[in-house]
Amino acid sequence: MKKEAFDRSKHVYLNNAFEELVKDAVRFFNGTPVHVLPSPEKFTGSGVYALYYTGKNLLYKRYAELNRLSYNFPIYIGKAVPKGWRQARMSDVATTQSNELYSRLREHSRNIKVVTGLSVDEFSCRLVIFEEGGSDMIGTIEAALIRINFPLWNSVVDGFGNHTPGAGRFQQAKSDWDVIHPGRTWADKCQGVPHDAGSIKSSIKRYFKKIKG
């Protein structure tokens, strides 16, 4: 193979159609119905979701005010991918008949129920299901929604979406989310030095000063 000098322009992929596809998916997401958390009806599929807070916790009272009339300010955005997605082993059947999205929302509900300062009936959710080849868009749309909305639990307070660490991995510190919302038993096993609750709450206050609604 003939070697040639590096030219960055030969490695940049640009496609306006892709950009429009992402915008269209975001528009569709924002127009979907809002439901209670978790969904009372079991459904199949994987995709992207957002959680909205409208409760009485003073830390998040600004969200309750912003979402009073319409749900435009998510506190968290996440994704649930089909089985085998990370190893590229998924099938079209897996993208339509799996229940990862429903299970992920149920998992969030369980986490909220066991911690201090939150109640599951203070949350609502919005979701989009991606099937077959569309499941390739899940990570892209999640990233776009996070970039557009800058949700608190994605950007300032980390840890809400964490799972139980594997055996022998409890040397890590408790997440910021678990510091201000204690109650997950596995988080209490973390042995690292966590951030101070006061500094986390100060970061939340600074965050809301930047949010305009």
Side-chain angles (χ1 to χ4, degrees), residues 34 51-76 122 124 126 148-152 204-213:
V34 175
L51 304 185
Y52 301 87
Y53 184 78
T54 54
K56 297 180 180 180
N57 189 309
L58 294 179
L59 281 174
Y60 312 124
K61 66 176 183 179
R62 182 61 177 145
Y63 271 132
E65 295 168 354
L66 292 169
N67 290 318
R68 184 178 301 146
L69 299 178
S70 60
Y71 292 83
N72 294 321
F73 295 87
I75 194 172
Y76 182 78
E122 299 173 327
S124 301
R126 169 177 274 139
I148 293 168
N149 294 284
F150 199 58
L152 178 65
I204 293 174
K205 291 179 181 178
R206 290 194 296 271
Y207 167 87
F208 281 117
K209 288 181 179 179
K210 299 177 182 178
I211 300 298
K212 299 179 181 180

Side-chain angles (χ1 to χ4, degrees), residues 137-188:
M137 293 288 293
I138 291 175
T140 301
I141 302 306
E142 180 203 31
L145 289 168
I146 291 174
R147 184 174 63 253
I148 293 168
N149 294 284
F150 199 58
L152 178 65
W153 288 354
N154 293 95
S155 57
V156 176
V157 180
D158 74 291
F160 171 65
N162 290 358
H163 300 280
T164 306
R169 297 180 61 187
F170 284 98
Q171 295 84 0
Q172 65 191 39
K174 183 185 293 187
S175 76
D176 289 355
W177 192 85
D178 287 294
V179 169
I180 60 175
H181 296 299
R184 292 197 287 197
T185 53
W186 62 261
D188 292 333

Side-chain angles (χ1 to χ4, degrees), residues 27-119:
R27 284 192 294 267
F28 180 83
F29 180 91
N30 290 332
T32 56
V34 175
H35 298 282
V36 297
L37 182 72
S39 170
E41 296 184 12
K42 190 172 183 179
F43 60 90
T44 59
S46 54
V48 182
Y49 60 91
L51 304 185
Y52 301 87
Y53 184 78
T54 54
K56 297 180 180 180
N57 189 309
L58 294 179
L59 281 174
Y60 312 124
K61 66 176 183 179
R62 182 61 177 145
Y63 271 132
E65 295 168 354
L66 292 169
N67 290 318
R68 184 178 301 146
L69 299 178
S70 60
Y71 292 83
N72 294 321
F73 295 87
I75 194 172
Y76 182 78
I77 288 171
K79 68 176 182 294
V81 298
K83 293 180 180 179
W85 184 81
R86 290 178 176 81
Q87 297 82 24
R89 296 174 181 171
M90 62 184 182
S91 64
D92 287 347
V93 173
T95 66
T96 57
Q97 297 183 5
S98 64
N99 64 348
E100 276 81 2
L101 186 50
Y102 174 79
S103 296
R104 187 65 167 147
L105 293 173
R106 296 285 295 183
E107 179 185 7
H108 288 323
S109 300
R110 290 192 296 269
N111 283 330
I112 291 170
K113 288 179 179 178
V114 301
V115 301
T116 301
L118 299 172
S119 176

